[in-house]
Amino acid sequence: MNPSDFQRAKHASTIGGTRDSTPSTTLKIGSVVGAVIGWGLGAYSGANLMIPLVGTGAVFFAAWKLLPEDRRIALPALSVQAGHLLWFVIGMITTKTVGANALDVLWLLTGLIWLAAKPSRGPLWVLGIYQLLVLPLNFYLFLHVSVGTPAHKALLVHIVWRAMALGLMGMMYMRLRREELGSEVSSPEA
């Protein structure tokens, strides 16, 4: 078994928090909570959820096939934000408001291309800053729009997608950092 196979096997054996194949209680509880939140979000936001959700899934599966294995670390963060970007583009085309979100599209597209090409901290910073700048604006608008309106439902999905993007980028950042620290420990200087 070569070192990369060993690392993959070690990682696979710890998914779920334990060294065996039984999922941990935390994972089970998290799955139930996630399913309930997802159901609630879908029930409230309806069709607003479909484009980013389907877009995220489509990008994930396409990128899984297209990206080399060493870049797949970026798949979750890349997919969520690309699904969100797809929603922007479709919204701009259907509402004929191309200029309204042009900066969002340009910033996201640039960051996502960079992330797919070189999964590293640089594109995570670019995308993270973008999400952190826009999330408070979405939250402010969400609080000042009437509940139940299409705008309120769409803003909720924007907030959830941005929060997921930030969480997934944070996880990727920590994983990159661990790998960087691990390579420093395993290759001592002469």
Side-chain angles (χ1 to χ4, degrees):
M1 181 181 280
N2 68 37
S4 64
D5 290 337
F6 176 77
Q7 288 297 327
R8 261 193 300 258
K10 181 180 173 187
H11 174 70
S13 69
T14 59
I15 294 174
T18 61
R19 291 243 174 233
D20 59 14
S21 62
T22 337
S24 69
T25 304
T26 305
L27 182 63
K28 290 177 187 174
I29 292 170
S31 298
V32 170
V33 169
V36 169
I37 290 171
W39 175 82
L41 178 64
Y44 178 70
S45 61
N48 287 299
L49 181 62
M50 292 312 297
I51 294 171
L53 183 63
V54 170
T56 296
V59 169
F60 184 89
F61 289 112
W64 181 265
K65 297 287 185 189
L66 297 173
L67 286 178
E69 190 172 333
D70 64 328
R71 293 192 209 158
R72 289 185 184 160
I73 187 174
L75 273 176
L78 178 76
S79 302
V80 165
Q81 293 177 93
H84 201 187
L85 175 62
L86 179 66
W87 190 25
F88 282 154
V89 171
I90 290 173
M92 288 169 45
I93 292 168
T94 57
T95 60
K96 298 180 179 129
T97 55
V98 175
N101 292 76
L103 183 59
D104 291 275
V105 169
L106 183 61
W107 196 330
L108 266 174
L109 187 59
T110 302
L112 292 173
I113 290 170
W114 187 12
L115 184 63
K118 184 169 176 24
S120 60
R121 287 188 264 165
L124 290 178
W125 280 106
V126 167
L127 291 165
I129 289 169
Y130 165 74
Q131 297 294 1
L132 288 169
L133 287 173
V134 182
L135 182 60
L137 174 63
N138 285 160
F139 194 68
Y140 175 81
L141 293 171
F142 177 76
L143 294 175
H144 292 87
V145 173
S146 298
V147 175
T149 61
H152 193 262
K153 294 174 181 181
L155 284 165
L156 178 60
V157 175
H158 279 294
I159 290 167
V160 168
W161 244 249
R162 292 188 195 289
M164 285 192 314
L166 286 166
L168 292 168
M169 286 189 296
M171 291 169 55
M172 181 181 163
Y173 185 91
M174 296 305 293
R175 186 168 167 202
L176 287 170
R177 185 75 179 127
R178 272 193 314 272
E179 289 176 4
E180 181 181 285
L181 290 173
S183 68
E184 288 174 5
V185 170
S186 65
S187 59
E189 295 179 33

